[in-house]
mmCIF file of all heavy atoms in Angstrom:
data_model
loop_
_atom_site.group_PDB
_atom_site.id
_atom_site.type_symbol
_atom_site.label_atom_id
_atom_site.label_comp_id
_atom_site.label_asym_id
_atom_site.label_seq_id
_atom_site.Cartn_x
_atom_site.Cartn_y
_atom_site.Cartn_z
ATOM 1 N N GLU A 97 -98.412 -42.544 -122.540
ATOM 2 C CA GLU A 97 -97.118 -41.962 -122.197
ATOM 3 C C GLU A 97 -97.092 -41.520 -120.734
ATOM 4 O O GLU A 97 -98.024 -40.861 -120.266
ATOM 5 C CB GLU A 97 -96.820 -40.757 -123.088
ATOM 6 C CG GLU A 97 -96.688 -41.093 -124.573
ATOM 7 C CD GLU A 97 -95.484 -41.950 -124.867
ATOM 8 O OE1 GLU A 97 -94.469 -41.840 -124.124
ATOM 9 O OE2 GLU A 97 -95.520 -42.743 -125.819
ATOM 10 N N PRO A 98 -96.029 -41.842 -120.009
ATOM 11 C CA PRO A 98 -95.922 -41.373 -118.618
ATOM 12 C C PRO A 98 -95.662 -39.867 -118.578
ATOM 13 O O PRO A 98 -95.158 -39.286 -119.540
ATOM 14 C CB PRO A 98 -94.720 -42.148 -118.076
ATOM 15 C CG PRO A 98 -93.889 -42.433 -119.284
ATOM 16 C CD PRO A 98 -94.863 -42.642 -120.413
ATOM 17 N N VAL A 99 -96.003 -39.257 -117.464
ATOM 18 C CA VAL A 99 -95.799 -37.816 -117.331
ATOM 19 C C VAL A 99 -95.575 -37.473 -115.865
ATOM 20 O O VAL A 99 -96.108 -38.144 -114.965
ATOM 21 C CB VAL A 99 -97.018 -37.040 -117.899
ATOM 22 C CG1 VAL A 99 -98.272 -37.324 -117.080
ATOM 23 C CG2 VAL A 99 -96.739 -35.557 -117.968
ATOM 24 N N LEU A 100 -94.783 -36.452 -115.628
ATOM 25 C CA LEU A 100 -94.578 -35.935 -114.277
ATOM 26 C C LEU A 100 -95.535 -34.771 -114.073
ATOM 27 O O LEU A 100 -95.457 -33.761 -114.783
ATOM 28 C CB LEU A 100 -93.134 -35.470 -114.090
ATOM 29 C CG LEU A 100 -92.806 -34.862 -112.718
ATOM 30 C CD1 LEU A 100 -92.954 -35.909 -111.620
ATOM 31 C CD2 LEU A 100 -91.407 -34.263 -112.723
ATOM 32 N N LEU A 101 -96.432 -34.911 -113.114
ATOM 33 C CA LEU A 101 -97.383 -33.851 -112.784
ATOM 34 C C LEU A 101 -96.832 -33.024 -111.639
ATOM 35 O O LEU A 101 -96.535 -33.556 -110.568
ATOM 36 C CB LEU A 101 -98.737 -34.459 -112.401
ATOM 37 C CG LEU A 101 -99.789 -33.493 -111.855
ATOM 38 C CD1 LEU A 101 -100.177 -32.463 -112.910
ATOM 39 C CD2 LEU A 101 -101.012 -34.260 -111.363
ATOM 40 N N GLN A 102 -96.702 -31.722 -111.847
ATOM 41 C CA GLN A 102 -96.192 -30.799 -110.831
ATOM 42 C C GLN A 102 -97.325 -29.867 -110.441
ATOM 43 O O GLN A 102 -97.752 -29.022 -111.226
ATOM 44 C CB GLN A 102 -95.008 -30.006 -111.380
ATOM 45 C CG GLN A 102 -93.847 -30.900 -111.837
ATOM 46 C CD GLN A 102 -92.766 -30.122 -112.571
ATOM 47 O OE1 GLN A 102 -93.047 -29.277 -113.414
ATOM 48 N NE2 GLN A 102 -91.506 -30.414 -112.250
ATOM 49 N N VAL A 103 -97.838 -30.025 -109.225
ATOM 50 C CA VAL A 103 -98.958 -29.219 -108.744
ATOM 51 C C VAL A 103 -98.402 -28.130 -107.833
ATOM 52 O O VAL A 103 -97.744 -28.415 -106.832
ATOM 53 C CB VAL A 103 -99.986 -30.083 -107.991
ATOM 54 C CG1 VAL A 103 -101.201 -29.236 -107.617
ATOM 55 C CG2 VAL A 103 -100.409 -31.271 -108.844
ATOM 56 N N ARG A 104 -98.688 -26.881 -108.184
ATOM 57 C CA ARG A 104 -98.163 -25.725 -107.463
ATOM 58 C C ARG A 104 -99.303 -24.804 -107.033
ATOM 59 O O ARG A 104 -100.334 -24.727 -107.702
ATOM 60 C CB ARG A 104 -97.196 -24.929 -108.358
ATOM 61 C CG ARG A 104 -96.056 -25.760 -108.946
ATOM 62 C CD ARG A 104 -95.039 -26.084 -107.870
ATOM 63 N NE ARG A 104 -93.884 -26.773 -108.418
ATOM 64 C CZ ARG A 104 -93.711 -28.094 -108.380
ATOM 65 N NH1 ARG A 104 -94.641 -28.858 -107.816
ATOM 66 N NH2 ARG A 104 -92.624 -28.643 -108.893
ATOM 67 N N PRO A 105 -99.137 -24.080 -105.914
ATOM 68 C CA PRO A 105 -100.157 -23.104 -105.503
ATOM 69 C C PRO A 105 -100.108 -21.878 -106.423
ATOM 70 O O PRO A 105 -99.092 -21.605 -107.061
ATOM 71 C CB PRO A 105 -99.746 -22.757 -104.071
ATOM 72 C CG PRO A 105 -98.270 -22.967 -104.052
ATOM 73 C CD PRO A 105 -97.997 -24.127 -104.964
ATOM 74 N N GLY A 106 -101.229 -21.183 -106.498
ATOM 75 C CA GLY A 106 -101.258 -19.958 -107.304
ATOM 76 C C GLY A 106 -102.485 -19.902 -108.181
ATOM 77 O O GLY A 106 -103.353 -20.796 -108.149
ATOM 78 N N ASP A 107 -102.574 -18.834 -108.961
ATOM 79 C CA ASP A 107 -103.723 -18.661 -109.857
ATOM 80 C C ASP A 107 -103.773 -19.793 -110.875
ATOM 81 O O ASP A 107 -102.743 -20.346 -111.270
ATOM 82 C CB ASP A 107 -103.627 -17.326 -110.584
ATOM 83 C CG ASP A 107 -103.765 -16.140 -109.634
ATOM 84 O OD1 ASP A 107 -104.365 -16.327 -108.550
ATOM 85 O OD2 ASP A 107 -103.263 -15.047 -109.957
ATOM 86 N N VAL A 108 -104.991 -20.111 -111.285
ATOM 87 C CA VAL A 108 -105.184 -21.215 -112.222
ATOM 88 C C VAL A 108 -104.325 -21.029 -113.469
ATOM 89 O O VAL A 108 -104.275 -19.949 -114.055
ATOM 90 C CB VAL A 108 -106.661 -21.317 -112.632
ATOM 91 C CG1 VAL A 108 -106.842 -22.330 -113.759
ATOM 92 C CG2 VAL A 108 -107.514 -21.724 -111.438
ATOM 93 N N GLY A 109 -103.620 -22.086 -113.833
ATOM 94 C CA GLY A 109 -102.788 -22.031 -115.017
ATOM 95 C C GLY A 109 -102.120 -23.373 -115.258
ATOM 96 O O GLY A 109 -102.127 -24.247 -114.386
ATOM 97 N N ARG A 110 -101.547 -23.513 -116.427
ATOM 98 C CA ARG A 110 -100.900 -24.766 -116.793
ATOM 99 C C ARG A 110 -99.743 -24.482 -117.718
ATOM 100 O O ARG A 110 -99.877 -23.717 -118.681
ATOM 101 C CB ARG A 110 -101.895 -25.709 -117.468
ATOM 102 C CG ARG A 110 -101.309 -27.032 -117.912
ATOM 103 C CD ARG A 110 -102.361 -27.932 -118.522
ATOM 104 N NE ARG A 110 -103.437 -28.194 -117.578
ATOM 105 C CZ ARG A 110 -104.515 -28.910 -117.857
ATOM 106 N NH1 ARG A 110 -104.664 -29.430 -119.048
ATOM 107 N NH2 ARG A 110 -105.449 -29.092 -116.949
ATOM 108 N N VAL A 111 -98.590 -25.086 -117.421
ATOM 109 C CA VAL A 111 -97.407 -24.932 -118.259
ATOM 110 C C VAL A 111 -96.904 -26.323 -118.608
ATOM 111 O O VAL A 111 -96.695 -27.149 -117.720
ATOM 112 C CB VAL A 111 -96.292 -24.142 -117.530
ATOM 113 C CG1 VAL A 111 -95.078 -24.011 -118.442
ATOM 114 C CG2 VAL A 111 -96.801 -22.778 -117.095
ATOM 115 N N GLU A 112 -96.719 -26.575 -119.889
ATOM 116 C CA GLU A 112 -96.242 -27.880 -120.327
ATOM 117 C C GLU A 112 -94.740 -27.834 -120.590
ATOM 118 O O GLU A 112 -94.253 -26.979 -121.322
ATOM 119 C CB GLU A 112 -96.979 -28.329 -121.586
ATOM 120 C CG GLU A 112 -98.473 -28.574 -121.352
ATOM 121 C CD GLU A 112 -99.129 -29.294 -122.507
ATOM 122 O OE1 GLU A 112 -98.395 -29.844 -123.360
ATOM 123 O OE2 GLU A 112 -100.371 -29.311 -122.556
ATOM 124 N N HIS A 113 -94.025 -28.749 -119.944
ATOM 125 C CA HIS A 113 -92.600 -28.915 -120.160
ATOM 126 C C HIS A 113 -92.391 -30.258 -120.853
ATOM 127 O O HIS A 113 -93.312 -31.064 -120.967
ATOM 128 C CB HIS A 113 -91.841 -28.891 -118.830
ATOM 129 C CG HIS A 113 -92.132 -27.695 -117.980
ATOM 130 N ND1 HIS A 113 -91.653 -26.441 -118.271
ATOM 131 C CD2 HIS A 113 -92.878 -27.572 -116.853
ATOM 132 C CE1 HIS A 113 -92.064 -25.583 -117.344
ATOM 133 N NE2 HIS A 113 -92.820 -26.236 -116.472
ATOM 134 N N GLU A 114 -91.196 -30.524 -121.305
ATOM 135 C CA GLU A 114 -90.911 -31.813 -121.913
ATOM 136 C C GLU A 114 -90.975 -32.906 -120.848
ATOM 137 O O GLU A 114 -90.177 -32.937 -119.916
ATOM 138 C CB GLU A 114 -89.520 -31.809 -122.563
ATOM 139 C CG GLU A 114 -89.221 -33.083 -123.340
ATOM 140 C CD GLU A 114 -87.914 -33.019 -124.103
ATOM 141 O OE1 GLU A 114 -87.295 -31.932 -124.104
ATOM 142 O OE2 GLU A 114 -87.511 -34.029 -124.686
#
Side-chain angles (χ1 to χ4, degrees):
E97 296 294 331
V99 65
L100 178 65
L101 172 63
Q102 301 171 316
V103 185
R104 305 287 185 261
D107 294 336
V108 172
R110 179 178 301 177
V111 180
E112 295 192 14
H113 307 286
E114 186 174 355

